[in-house]
């Protein structure tokens, strides 16, 4: 139980294009999903908290117009990296917290983005 | 600001050796504590968690952790490691802000 998937698992795109990453909770409902970014050999940095049916809450320093988050249902959140640049290349990981499941977050496998 | 520190960045052990990974956090209020593991090429998996009650928490795969409130610590232990324990280990703290704050991670390499 408590499986979270991400799609795609990796993507290569040209600078200036937009990339959408999906995060799904497969066997549970998640009112809250989180988006993290992980740089090589570093820890996870929280980018934003996504609540179903409302606007995402972004961490300080994260551009909300660049990283668009939509949480349209209890099982799906999307992160769109708009006008991607090489410095956006990173490993993006989502997590989901089960409705009524306390504070435990379940993590997706991550999406590796390479912007050329 | 809340923070989590993991003192050991890279640990190398032989199989059957005992393991202890340090984790300290800075926050004066109530915390929930987690250890996550990331095996090579895989996603983060929950090893164990502490919310309240017995400060000695047992997790999967023979791991345990002890919450010592006075030391703001939540160290991870395993009496005898195996080669399959080779992975990256992350300590994380959740406070009343709804966010998980991660430590920088400890890379564990176990040699047969």
């Amino acid at each position: 139980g408590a499986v979270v998937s991400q799609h795609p698992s990796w993507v290569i795109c040209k600078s200036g294009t937009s990339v959408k990453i999906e995060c799904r909770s497969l066997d549970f409902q998640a009112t809250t999903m989180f988006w993290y970014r992980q740089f090589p050999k570093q820890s996870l940095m929280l980018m934003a908290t996504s609540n179903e049916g409302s606007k995402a809450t972004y961490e300080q320093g994260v551009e909300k117009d660049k990283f668009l988050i939509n949480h349209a249902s209890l099982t799906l959140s999307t992160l769109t990296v708009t006008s991607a640049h090489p410095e956006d290349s990173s490993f993006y990981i989502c997590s989901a917290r089960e409705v009524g499941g306390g504070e435990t977050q379940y993590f997706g496998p991550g999406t590796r983005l390479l912007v050329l | 600001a809340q923070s989590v520190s993991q003192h050991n960045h890279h640990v190398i052990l032989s199989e059957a050796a005992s393991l202890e990974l340090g984790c300290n956090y800075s926050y004066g209020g109530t915390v929930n504590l987690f250890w996550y593991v990331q095996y090579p090429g895989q996603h983060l998996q929950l090893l164990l968690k502490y919310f309240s009650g017995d400060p000695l928490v047992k997790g999967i795969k023979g791991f345990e952790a002890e919450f010592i409130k006075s030391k703001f610590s939540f160290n991870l232990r395993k009496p005898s490691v195996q080669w399959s324990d080779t992975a990256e280990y992350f300590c994380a703290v959740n406070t009343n802000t709804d966010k998980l704050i991660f430590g920088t991670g400890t890379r564990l390499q176990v040699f047969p």
Side-chain angles (χ1 to χ4, degrees), chain B:
Chain B
Q2 300 135 16
S3 66
V4 179
S5 62
Q6 291 181 241
H7 322 294
N8 320 100
H9 297 293
H10 192 187
V11 174
I12 301 173
L13 294 172
S14 298
E15 274 194 320
S18 64
L19 170 73
E20 179 158 3
L21 301 182
C23 173
N24 287 88
Y25 64 93
S26 63
Y27 183 70
T30 303
V31 293
N32 299 314
L33 299 153
F34 305 81
W35 274 98
Y36 283 88
V37 60
Q38 189 172 29
Y39 297 104
Q42 296 188 31
H43 62 282
L44 279 167
Q45 299 174 39
L46 181 67
L47 261 185
L48 48 79
K49 60 187 177 184
Y50 171 80
F51 287 176
S52 63
D54 189 344
L56 184 60
V57 180
K58 294 194 184 298
I60 60 172
K61 304 186 181 186
F63 286 92
E64 65 178 30
E66 184 175 13
F67 171 50
I68 303 179
K69 190 174 181 180
S70 60
K71 294 184 178 180
F72 298 89
S73 70
F74 190 55
N75 292 355
L76 180 72
R77 298 194 293 249
K78 185 170 183 177
S80 176
V81 294
Q82 300 172 315
W83 175 78
S84 57
D85 293 324
T86 294
E88 187 102 22
Y89 292 82
F90 293 95
C91 180
V93 171
N94 167 267
T95 67
N96 59 3
T97 63
D98 195 36
K99 304 172 196 173
L100 260 185
I101 301 166
F102 282 86
T104 51
T106 297
R107 189 177 190 191
L108 172 65
Q109 278 185 294
V110 180
F111 288 96

